[in-house]
Amino acid sequence: MTRSTMRLVLPLGMTLALALAACTPAASTPADTDAPSDSEAAAPSADATAACEGVDSLTFTHTMNDQESPVIAEIAEAFEGTTVEVTQIPFDGAQQAYDQQAAGGEAPDVFRAEIAWIADYADKGYLVDLAGMIPSEEWDDYLAGPLAYGQWQGGTYAVPQVTDALALLYNKRLFEEAGVEVPATMDDFVAAGETLQADTDVENAFYMRGDAYWLQPFLWAFGGGLFEADAEGQVSELLVNNEGSVAGLEFLLNDVLGTIAPAEVDFPNDYNNAMTGFKEGQVAMIFNGPWSTADVLSGTEFSDPENLGIAVIPAGPDGAKGSPIGGHSYVAYAGMDEAKQACAVEFIRYLSSAENQGRLATELNLLPTRQSAYELPDVQENRLIAEFGTVIENATARPVVPEGGAIYTDFGPNFQAAWTGDKEPQQALDDVAAAWTTLLGDRLAQ
Amino acid sequence: MRDRMWVAYAFMLPVFVVMAVIVLYPLALSIWSSFTDLSRANQATVFRPGSEQFIGLDNYATILTSEEFRGRLGWTTIWTAVNVFFHFTIGMGLALLLNQKFRGRTAYRLVLMLPWAVPAFVSAVAWRYIFNGEYGALNLMLASFGIDGPNWLSDQFWAYVAPIVVNVWLGVPFMMVALLGGMQSIPQELYEAARVDGATRRQTFWNVTVPQLRSVSVAIILLGIIWTFNLFVVIFLTTGGGPGGRTDILVTESFNLFQAGQLAQAATYSVVILSILLIFVAVYQRAFRTEDVAR
Amino acid sequence: MKQPLWERIATHAVLLVASAIALFPLIWVVSASFKNQFDVLSTEIEIIPSEPTLENYEALFNPASATGGYFWNWFGNSVFIAVMTTILSVFLAATAGYALSRYRFRGKRPTTSFFLVSQMFPAVILLVPLFQLLGIQLRLLNTPWALILAYATTAVPFCVLMLRSYFDTLPIELEEAARIDGLGPLGTFWKIVVPLSTPGIAVTAFYAFITAWNEFLFALVFLTQPESFTLPIGVRLFVNQFTQNWGGTMALSVIVTIPVMLFFYVAQRYLISGLSTGGVKG
């Protein structure tokens, strides 16, 4: 592109962007859906071609699962600015893999990171501060919760891709057969499970995983939690072994497991076994997130998607609810050539455009992180998205600290130890708290 | 020929150089890092220099005095002993049977060698599939007999058994073949002499076969112990160290520490593992007087 | 000496049971590789799938499939790495093994001990520094060379010890004759000893190849991009926390195991004798 053409295009792009900002109020009504999404898709591509001049290619790595992977690959490869090399890596071990690559100067230009990893990477200097590189009107379009996960000590290091939370997935046909309503409290949950097991031929009403992430809803429902941290990442208090948390764990072990869920599961295979059982109607309820819907809908019980029910995870005795908010965001590697950075940012803006977020929503039932995406007609018509939206409204954000991902290293095994009876619940959670005290070190205000 | 030492040095030079660069130097680094608090949070990266600190023997103190370590060492020892015991006894038994002449013995030998030809990670993954608590072949077969099979990979007790089964399946052929080879090189005259002396089969076994197999046995048992003690793949891919870390052996735990970013502690663990093996081998060699191995 | 009937029956019975145990997992793997995603995890035992499918095998080679169709990359990487490790190790080890066999020199015993000790290294002990050295400083992450060098750390000492044991069994007279004829040490080695050592070198090369082919831990850490994976890590891609593609795993396992098995059977006669003259009797 010649310099004179650039001189024409840039102001055009900026004018469009300004026009957008004027047109798009904070909370849009349905009537506004058409104009913003069209021009929003146009502006980035003009900027992209400009910013990517001279860039041969970008590398983009993601951890999306096998059902999601073809869609994101198609989107990424359609980027007009430059060629994109897309790579899928397994989620297991991805946090360490990126860390090691980034430490060594060889990380991919753009990476889809789980939100709990971002503060850690930012703290180590691996990420580009994107705050000034994206117009503020665009930042405003993003939901506050997911956006906050990408912010660390004054910088904004990530652009949210999807947000999620664990929901109660249930089989509507089985609920009807047993005459059971969607449980609102934990006691209802157990009662419903018992009725399901008595009146239908399910083997287990519920199937629990031996993974600490899945334990969290029980902790929050009974008044417990993980820990309290402020905006600067100072941790004021550990909640994981307080009364509420222990009560939650004990409820799970005593009232749920062995009654409405198997007393023992095969830990290495539990995710897959839970999904298989649910998909084939041997299990009536599981906890899982939006990423699993594509897989669930391939099951024999859900050939009619209407049969899949999505509900907020039941509340505890005091009405406390909780489900961990998760999500993934795009980050840009600080070690890439400076000349490529502008292009990488344009690529991220493109991936995260309302239109593309809408695609992920309609094709994979993944929740968008921008208001304008929620206004797309296709997204608004998607029942699963609407229901997951309600789940997220009732979900709990985890505190943002660099150790956010590392806390699960000790959390998981201790949970399993409590499950198998190796340790008493209080002891197991105390051990978790002790491990976190060492892990958080100076971050924990004594 | 024997006093041309410089020739020997010349021949050894390429290996010396390569070993110094890729083994001695990293080994020294590893040992050094075990005296620091190196972790992924303070290691040197392209963005900033490292900020790890020297902490002396702290890592060793923390690890060696922890109850966890003692438990893990205990399980690793049991894991090794049980595996090698079955490898050797079953291998010996099968070798004895195959040492006789009968039709079809070659076919049996080829089939029984199969597990040896299967890569360890394939075996681990296949058995993990078979051991699946809900849908695995083993539990399905037990169910057809009305038995409710346990969760082999996460039950408090059976999670110990499952990887042992996998490793025994993997390891028996090696010992069987080595012992068979050893048996086949026992001179027939010894057996003739025993027969002439009127020895029973049991006496022949204990007085002829076993002594002749001594050097082979001592060597393969030592190899088996070292390999099993350090065997990462089987535990990692079957139980993943679970439930709750119970079935982690020392090497898998040191890898867990590495994954958790605790680089210095991972190095400390591995130095401890190596030291244990060194002490063991020294004792073993003295007990069985196999100095000819280090001739 | 004919055995009594009951003995022969007992022998066959035991061997049959053992064979069944040896074969069963393999049959099950092959069977699962032909099952579709519904049948592969079901509560019915079917050794011969009711609806056999080739989709698992196809997905391995099809770039458009969810798992990326990387089979040829993985296969190629594994072959390249295993072959280069073997060549490098055998070349380096040959002269060293010969020196240990034929010569006495100062430092011989510590050297041999060091080679033995290196066989006892837990993989993790070199993992951190080699990662720093090869991965970060030399930027060899995701390249085959990082693994070739990493594997050489155990392959070279192993080959030295095995070849030394083999050379020990060669009669020294031929070399002495060559010496009298005026051949220098290197000439003797290349022209006399090496040609005679083909079985020993073959067995050593075989073990080195198989060890590199099957290695898991270093590959897991050094390879993070799917197209640079080796076969063991490729298999692991299929079975992780959230996606357990058992059909694909089994199909890949079948393909991985067949060449190894063929290789094994061709070499198995030499293996047994190699074990007795090689590292075993020491």
Side-chain angles (χ1 to χ4, degrees):
Chain A
M1 190 183 275
T2 65
R3 240 201 239 142
S4 48
T5 332
M6 258 175 66
R7 272 203 228 110
L8 275 178
V9 169
L10 272 178
L12 198 59
M14 277 166 31
T15 319
L16 277 172
L18 284 171
L20 258 181
C23 293
T24 319
S28 307
T29 61
D32 286 340
T33 48
D34 284 323
S37 54
D38 277 348
S39 29
E40 192 132 328
S45 75
D47 291 338
T49 338
C52 291
E53 185 178 331
V55 176
D56 283 332
S57 68
L58 287 176
T59 48
F60 168 51
T61 300
H62 66 84
T63 54
M64 301 184 86
N65 63 36
D66 288 348
Q67 289 84 14
E68 301 164 334
S69 185
V71 180
I72 193 74
E74 216 186 288
I75 294 177
E77 281 161 8
F79 179 56
E80 288 167 4
T82 179
T83 341
V84 177
E85 290 167 31
V86 186
T87 313
Q88 174 205 33
I89 62 173
F91 184 80
D92 260 355
Q95 182 185 11
Q96 295 89 347
Y98 184 82
D99 196 324
Q100 286 160 197
Q101 286 184 292
E106 292 289 323
D109 301 320
V110 176
F111 180 60
R112 183 190 94 133
E114 216 251 2
I115 51 181
W117 307 342
I118 299 172
D120 186 31
Y121 294 157
D123 201 45
K124 291 174 178 165
Y126 297 158
L127 306 180
V128 176
D129 186 348
L130 303 170
M133 299 177 89
I134 294 181
S136 59
E137 313 80 50
E138 205 169 307
W139 284 122
D140 288 342
D141 190 27
Y142 285 94
L143 303 176
L147 196 57
Y149 273 106
Q151 293 171 326
W152 175 248
Q153 299 195 330
T156 308
Y157 295 95
V159 173
Q161 181 208 36
V162 290
T163 181
D164 57 56
L166 287 180
L168 175 69
L169 270 58
Y170 63 95
N171 184 323
K172 289 185 181 168
R173 178 186 69 79
L174 290 172
F175 268 46
E176 262 178 54
E177 203 181 306
V180 156
E181 301 242 325
V182 179
T185 69
M186 283 293 180
D187 290 331
D188 292 343
F189 176 56
V190 175
E194 286 170 337
T195 317
L196 280 162
Q197 282 179 181
D199 295 344
T200 66
D201 54 2
V202 288
E203 268 194 56
N204 296 291
F206 179 60
Y207 201 102
M208 179 64 182
R209 286 199 68 196
D211 184 303
Y213 194 84
W214 267 249
L215 170 65
Q216 289 169 148
F218 289 99
L219 299 185
W220 282 313
F222 284 81
L226 300 179
F227 51 87
E228 294 276 354
D230 62 21
E232 277 94 53
Q234 276 300 105
V235 176
S236 48
E237 195 190 342
L238 291 181
L239 305 171
V240 72
N241 59 343
N242 70 12
E243 255 185 68
S245 298
V246 177
L249 178 56
E250 285 177 342
F251 177 80
L252 171 66
L253 296 179
N254 301 330
D255 299 317
V256 175
L257 297 178
T259 329
I260 62 170
E264 285 183 358
V265 298
D266 183 334
F267 291 141
N269 291 314
D270 57 18
Y271 185 84
N272 214 231
N273 288 349
M275 290 290 280
T276 308
F278 187 62
K279 284 175 357 185
E280 292 177 12
Q282 290 150 15
V283 170
M285 305 184 273
I286 56 173
F287 289 170
N288 216 334
W291 63 79
S292 65
T293 51
D295 188 12
V296 169
L297 294 174
S298 71
T300 46
E301 283 286 316
F302 301 100
S303 38
D304 172 16
E306 285 304 309
N307 194 26
L308 174 60
I310 306 205
V312 176
I313 291 185
D318 297 327
K321 281 186 275 208
S323 156
I325 294 188
H328 301 266
S329 306
Y330 300 113
V331 295
Y333 181 48
M336 77 171 112
D337 291 335
E338 282 221 34
K340 278 170 127 186
Q341 278 188 12
C343 185
V345 174
E346 288 308 315
F347 176 56
I348 292 180
R349 292 177 67 195
Y350 160 76
L351 283 177
S352 198
S353 67
E355 186 190 326
N356 284 326
Q357 288 211 359
R359 258 195 86 176
L360 294 179
T362 48
E363 290 182 46
L364 301 169
N365 302 310
L366 298 176
L367 273 71
T369 50
R370 314 175 67 142
Q371 273 138 356
S372 48
Y374 280 99
E375 285 137 25
L376 296 173
D378 289 336
V379 176
Q380 292 189 326
E381 284 165 22
N382 187 317
R383 169 188 72 93
L384 294 174
I385 300 258
E387 295 187 350
F388 269 114
T390 320
V391 172
I392 293 203
E393 277 165 30
N394 287 285
T396 316
R398 291 171 287 160
V400 179
V401 291
E403 293 82 10
I407 57 174
Y408 295 99
T409 313
D410 289 289
F411 200 4
N414 277 298
F415 171 43
Q416 287 185 353
W419 181 323
T420 56
D422 247 359
K423 292 187 186 178
E424 291 297 317
Q426 180 74 58
Q427 177 66 49
L429 293 178
D430 283 341
D431 288 346
V432 175
W436 289 1
T437 310
T438 320
L439 177 68
L440 292 168
D442 294 330
R443 212 174 293 286
L444 183 59
Q446 291 298 352
Chain B
M1 224 186 233
R2 294 186 179 237
D3 45 11
R4 295 253 226 103
M5 270 201 329
W6 72 266
V7 175
Y9 287 130
F11 275 176
M12 299 286 307
L13 191 62
V15 169
F16 277 151
V17 168
V18 170
M19 287 283 105
V21 171
I22 60 176
V23 179
L24 284 175
Y25 174 61
L27 184 62
L29 278 182
S30 205
I31 297 177
W32 168 252
S33 68
S34 71
F35 296 122
T36 69
D37 62 355
L38 184 68
S39 77
R40 224 171 261 133
N42 59 28
Q43 70 173 344
T45 72
V46 295
F47 297 99
R48 61 185 188 194
S51 53
E52 65 268 19
Q53 312 232 329
F54 181 78
I55 57 170
L57 293 173
D58 278 1
N59 284 328
Y60 289 95
T62 326
I63 288 178
L64 291 174
T65 55
S66 75
E67 226 185 275
E68 250 185 79
F69 172 76
R70 279 198 288 272
R72 214 159 268 134
L73 177 61
W75 158 237
T76 311
T77 311
I78 296 178
W79 155 260
T80 309
V82 171
N83 268 304
V84 175
F85 173 77
F86 282 119
H87 286 165
F88 187 75
T89 50
I90 300 179
M92 175 76 91
L94 292 175
L96 281 173
L97 289 176
L98 288 176
N99 197 26
Q100 304 155 26
K101 287 195 186 2
F102 59 88
R103 232 184 311 167
R105 108 192 204 183
T106 321
Y108 279 126
R109 201 185 75 213
L110 290 179
V111 168
L112 290 173
M113 271 178 67
L114 266 178
W116 192 14
V118 176
F121 63 91
V122 168
S123 160
V125 164
W127 277 101
R128 176 166 156 180
Y129 177 58
I130 293 174
F131 277 134
N132 185 321
E134 302 277 334
Y135 305 103
L138 186 54
N139 276 357
L140 292 180
M141 289 198 296
L142 289 175
S144 65
F145 290 108
I147 308 175
D148 193 20
N151 282 302
W152 299 98
L153 300 177
S154 54
D155 181 271
Q156 279 204 317
F157 171 72
W158 295 107
Y160 290 118
V161 172
I164 291 181
V165 167
V166 179
N167 196 31
V168 168
W169 185 85
L170 265 178
V172 161
F174 167 71
M175 293 230 178
M176 176 188 86
V177 165
L179 289 170
L180 189 58
M183 282 179 199
Q184 286 175 345
S185 58
I186 297 179
Q188 277 295 104
E189 305 86 59
L190 291 173
Y191 286 120
E192 280 302 309
R195 197 171 65 85
V196 162
D197 284 347
T200 65
R201 267 220 306 266
R202 185 170 298 182
Q203 287 171 324
T204 317
F205 175 71
W206 287 108
N207 294 310
V208 176
T209 320
V210 169
Q212 285 293 313
L213 288 177
R214 187 180 185 274
S215 70
V216 171
S217 303
V218 164
I220 61 178
I221 288 180
L222 179 62
L223 280 176
I225 290 178
I226 296 174
W227 288 340
T228 309
F229 199 80
N230 275 340
L231 186 58
F232 176 79
V233 176
V234 171
I235 301 248
F236 184 72
L237 289 179
T238 53
T239 60
R246 280 182 144 224
T247 56
D248 267 325
I249 53 175
L250 295 173
V251 270
T252 58
E253 176 61 16
S254 110
F255 181 71
N256 289 341
L257 287 168
F258 173 77
Q259 285 293 75
Q262 297 297 330
L263 306 176
Q265 289 184 25
T268 311
Y269 239 89
S270 42
V271 170
V272 169
I273 296 172
L274 181 58
S275 311
I276 293 175
L277 279 174
L278 282 173
I279 296 173
F280 174 78
V281 171
V283 169
Y284 187 91
Q285 288 198 327
R286 182 160 300 188
F288 290 101
R289 264 172 271 122
T290 56
E291 310 94 5
D292 45 318
V293 182
R295 182 170 13 110
Chain C
M1 181 172 68
K2 207 117 198 299
Q3 291 172 304
L5 183 64
W6 75 267
E7 247 186 53
R8 274 187 289 148
I9 293 180
T11 304
H12 277 276
V14 170
L15 288 174
L16 275 172
V17 169
S19 301
I21 297 177
L23 280 177
F24 173 71
L26 302 172
I27 295 178
W28 195 243
V29 167
V30 172
S31 161
S33 71
F34 290 110
K35 288 183 177 167
N36 62 43
Q37 60 154 321
F38 299 109
D39 291 339
V40 86
L41 273 186
S42 85
T43 45
E44 293 177 16
I45 310 177
E46 284 179 343
I47 296 209
I48 304 189
S50 51
E51 287 169 47
T53 168
L54 284 176
E55 67 189 23
N56 296 315
Y57 288 98
E58 282 167 359
L60 288 176
F61 300 97
N62 178 5
S65 79
T67 40
Y70 287 112
F71 177 77
W72 288 118
N73 300 66
W74 297 343
F75 185 77
N77 291 329
S78 275
V79 169
F80 182 74
I81 292 173
V83 166
M84 293 308 295
T85 305
T86 306
I87 293 179
L88 181 70
S89 307
V90 172
F91 254 95
L92 285 175
T95 50
Y98 182 68
L100 285 178
S101 173
R102 299 296 189 235
Y103 291 80
R104 263 204 288 259
F105 55 92
R106 200 131 26 109
K108 179 169 170 178
R109 188 172 267 220
T111 311
T112 321
S113 300
F114 177 73
F115 288 148
L116 280 169
V117 167
S118 75
Q119 301 302 297
M120 295 182 229
F121 284 175
V124 192
I125 203 172
L126 292 181
L127 188 59
V128 175
L130 279 181
F131 186 84
Q132 277 282 334
L133 184 64
L134 301 174
I136 297 186
Q137 285 174 26
L138 294 178
R139 302 212 167 190
L140 291 176
L141 269 191
N142 285 314
T143 66
W145 291 104
L147 287 182
I148 294 172
L149 290 172
Y151 294 167
T153 58
T154 38
V156 168
F158 177 79
C159 293
V160 170
L161 294 173
M162 272 210 90
L163 285 173
R164 195 279 295 270
S165 284
Y166 185 79
F167 291 141
D168 283 346
T169 66
L170 291 181
I172 212 169
E173 292 77 30
L174 288 165
E175 292 154 58
E176 290 184 342
R179 190 167 178 237
I180 293 170
D181 280 350
L183 218 47
L186 199 57
T188 316
F189 178 68
W190 280 113
K191 298 214 175 96
I192 310 288
V193 179
V194 168
L196 281 177
S197 312
T198 338
I201 293 182
V203 173
T204 308
F206 174 78
Y207 277 113
F209 184 91
I210 293 291
T211 311
W213 182 269
N214 291 345
E215 203 279 338
F216 186 82
L217 183 60
F218 278 104
L220 182 66
V221 174
F222 282 36
L223 304 174
T224 53
Q225 305 282 75
E227 64 269 8
S228 61
F229 284 176
T230 53
L231 286 167
I233 311 305
V235 171
R236 186 166 176 278
L237 190 66
F238 286 76
V239 180
N240 52 66
Q241 222 193 28
F242 293 103
T243 318
Q244 291 178 346
N245 179 352
W246 287 112
T249 313
M250 296 307 151
L252 185 58
S253 300
V254 168
I255 298 186
V256 166
T257 309
I258 289 183
V260 178
M261 232 181 245
L262 289 176
F263 203 174
F264 231 87
Y265 278 102
V266 164
Q268 55 111 1
R269 263 175 302 146
Y270 304 104
L271 283 181
I272 300 178
S273 53
L275 270 181
S276 356
T277 59
V280 173
K281 271 207 185 121

